[in-house]
């Protein structure tokens, strides 16, 4: 257990509304990531962070922003939600173990945009 | 371009039979390779990884995988499948300092009695 929690776990929202998803970790990991999971696509990286206030874009970053003001929290914001952002969102941390880095995932947030 | 291909979208095996899930990757540098498993409605659990050394790696739940650089493959195997192995399996690759993972599209495993 890498001590990762995500909130909310489920959310239904309307098109055009802002949405913020939270990822919280308890073990002071430097790297944190946001992925989305969609059928037929596997998981795709949205944004990642390599420290407080240090973030960068991933493969599918359009329509998303992130913030990391504290080591333990990594927030994903959909400024104006669209139906194409209906997905399951996973947060992950990177931990050094057994000679290399490994990523561990949170339980996920299921977001439905109507 | 960096990518991971899992050619089998869905596989069905009988309980007790052997299993091999295929994974091919395209990566310019030395790859770090991973297999994750996802049970329905759950998050992803790391099964095993390869980063250097012995090309046959052992993981949890009786799984193993073999890295074959010449074939750009990292196939997952299990000698005898249990009903509880029914899940979706994802292969992933990384190699940079930021450890960004590139995932395959997954293979859904069904186990029949």
């Amino acid at each position: 257990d890498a001590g990762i929690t995500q909130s909310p776990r489920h959310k239904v929202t309307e098109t055009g509304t802002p949405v913020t998803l939270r990822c919280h970790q308890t073990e002071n990991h430097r790297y944190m990531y946001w992925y989305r999971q969609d059928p037929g696509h596997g998981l795709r990286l949205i944004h990642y962070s390599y420290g407080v206030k240090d973030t960068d874009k991933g493969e599918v970053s359009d329509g998303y922003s992130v913030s990391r003001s504290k080591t333990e929290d990594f927030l994903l914001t959909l400024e104006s939600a669209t139906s194409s952002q209906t997905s399951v969102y996973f947060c992950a941390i990177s931990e050094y173990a057994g000679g290399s880095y490994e990523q561990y995932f949170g339980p996920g947030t299921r977001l439905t945009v109507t | 371009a960096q990518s991971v291909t899992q050619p089998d979208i869905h596989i069905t095996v009988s309980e007790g039979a052997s299993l091999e899930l295929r994974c091919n990757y395209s990566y310019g540098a030395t790859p770090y390779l991973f297999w994750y498993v996802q049970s329905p409605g759950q998050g992803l659990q790391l099964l095993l990884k390869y980063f250097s050394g012995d090309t046959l790696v052992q993981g949890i739940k009786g799984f193993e995988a073999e890295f074959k650089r010449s074939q750009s493959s990292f196939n997952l195997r299990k000698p005898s499948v249990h009903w509880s192995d029914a899940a979706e399996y994802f292969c992933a690759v990384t190699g940079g300092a930021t450890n960004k993972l590139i995932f395959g599209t997954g293979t859904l495993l069904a186990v029949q009695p």
Side-chain angles (χ1 to χ4, degrees):
Chain A
D1 184 358
I4 307 167
T5 57
Q6 293 184 231
S7 59
R9 294 292 314 279
H10 302 270
K11 185 170 183 66
V12 179
T13 192
E14 293 184 349
T15 298
T17 60
V19 176
T20 295
L21 309 183
R22 179 180 183 240
C23 177
H24 179 78
Q25 56 129 335
T26 59
E27 299 183 6
N28 207 36
H29 296 293
R30 178 184 174 194
Y31 284 90
M32 298 183 75
Y33 310 80
W34 277 107
Y35 294 86
R36 60 177 289 175
Q37 183 179 23
D38 304 289
H41 290 278
L43 280 81
R44 292 176 292 174
L45 181 66
I46 305 171
H47 282 280
Y48 67 99
S49 170
Y50 46 96
V52 173
K53 297 191 187 329
D54 292 324
T55 65
D56 205 348
K57 296 179 180 180
E59 178 187 0
V60 290
S61 59
D62 287 349
Y64 301 94
S65 62
V66 290
S67 66
R68 193 168 178 199
S69 59
K70 299 185 291 184
T71 299
E72 59 266 34
D73 288 324
F74 191 31
L75 304 180
L76 177 70
T77 297
L78 291 64
E79 303 289 349
S80 177
T82 68
S83 58
S84 64
Q85 294 175 311
T86 292
S87 187
V88 181
Y89 292 85
F90 287 99
C91 174
I93 59 90
S94 187
E95 178 178 280
Y96 192 82
S100 73
Y101 282 93
E102 303 172 350
Q103 284 192 26
Y104 293 92
F105 288 79
T109 294
R110 183 174 295 276
L111 176 67
T112 302
V113 183
T114 61
Chain B
Q2 301 162 357
S3 65
V4 174
T5 300
Q6 294 181 247
D8 303 306
I9 297 173
H10 189 276
I11 284 181
T12 300
V13 300
S14 298
E15 191 167 16
S18 63
L19 172 69
E20 183 169 25
L21 302 183
R22 295 183 290 165
C23 172
N24 292 97
Y25 68 90
S26 174
Y27 199 80
T30 301
Y32 288 13
L33 294 154
F34 304 83
W35 275 99
Y36 286 86
V37 60
Q38 184 181 34
S39 298
Q42 303 297 311
L44 280 76
Q45 181 181 22
L46 179 64
L47 281 176
L48 48 76
K49 68 179 180 182
Y50 170 81
F51 62 99
S52 68
D54 193 347
T55 56
L56 184 63
V57 293
Q58 303 296 320
I60 62 172
K61 305 186 179 195
F63 285 92
E64 66 178 27
E66 186 171 12
F67 171 59
K68 294 185 177 180
R69 186 184 298 275
S70 62
Q71 298 178 20
S72 297
S73 70
F74 188 56
N75 293 349
L76 182 70
R77 301 194 293 248
K78 187 170 185 178
S80 178
V81 170
H82 187 263
W83 63 266
S84 61
D85 294 324
E88 191 159 21
Y89 292 80
F90 293 94
C91 181
V93 66
T94 188
T98 56
N99 302 305
K100 295 182 289 184
L101 284 174
I102 299 168
F103 281 87
T105 52
T107 297
L108 186 62
L109 174 67
V111 180
Q112 58 185 203

